[in-house]
Amino acid sequence: MTSKLEFVEFIVGQLENANDVTFKKMFGEYAIYSGSKLVALICDDRLLVKPTSGGKSFIGEVVEASPYPGAKPCFLIEEQFEDEDWLCNLIRITEEELPIPKPKKKKVKEKVK
């Protein structure tokens, strides 16, 4: 099952006051970015935030779920995504704790002899 664009747009709208939040479609689902950092996934119309110690402290009693089979568990955000301020705070905390992504290496095309 894939996520509905309307759900993704609702979540991103809730994050309007967070740090430069964008989304990108990936493999039929969606990745949520804050700045250059991947902070959450939306899979099967579920919001899954990358786990951090600050995020865990902020949430309190966390519910974990994997975005897809074999993936590392994330924090499943169920009803709290309706609370715009709460969700923005969680995303800010998560973004602050995640490392800066490593720059991608440019692919070099080899000439065929």
Side-chain angles (χ1 to χ4, degrees):
M1 183 173 142
T2 58
S3 297
K4 295 179 187 81
L5 182 57
E6 295 82 22
F7 181 73
V8 177
E9 289 172 339
F10 171 76
I11 295 298
V12 172
Q14 291 291 87
L15 296 169
E16 186 174 72
N17 294 320
N19 303 334
D20 188 30
V21 173
T22 58
F23 68 93
K24 185 185 295 187
K25 189 167 186 162
M26 299 176 73
F27 310 110
E29 298 295 353
Y30 295 87
I32 306 294
Y33 291 85
S34 181
S36 64
K37 298 178 183 179
L38 177 79
V39 292
L41 298 168
I42 295 180
C43 299
D44 297 329
D45 287 332
R46 299 178 305 155
L47 176 60
L48 299 138
V49 175
K50 293 195 79 165
T52 62
S53 58
K56 188 173 187 172
S57 295
F58 179 76
I59 295 170
E61 192 173 322
V62 298
V63 175
E64 293 187 330
S66 292
Y68 51 88
K72 293 180 182 178
C74 295
F75 300 149
L76 177 62
I77 307 303
E78 296 173 292
E79 290 96 33
Q80 300 101 323
F81 61 73
E82 297 282 342
D83 183 341
E84 183 178 334
D85 292 334
W86 185 92
L87 188 57
C88 285
N89 284 331
L90 174 60
I91 294 302
R92 281 188 208 105
I93 290 166
T94 302
E95 192 251 340
E96 286 174 11
E97 285 195 31
L98 291 173
I100 296 171
K102 295 176 184 173
K104 293 183 180 182
K105 294 180 182 177
K106 292 184 179 181
K107 293 182 181 179
V108 178
K109 293 183 180 180
E110 293 183 27
K111 294 183 179 180
V112 180
K113 294 182 181 180

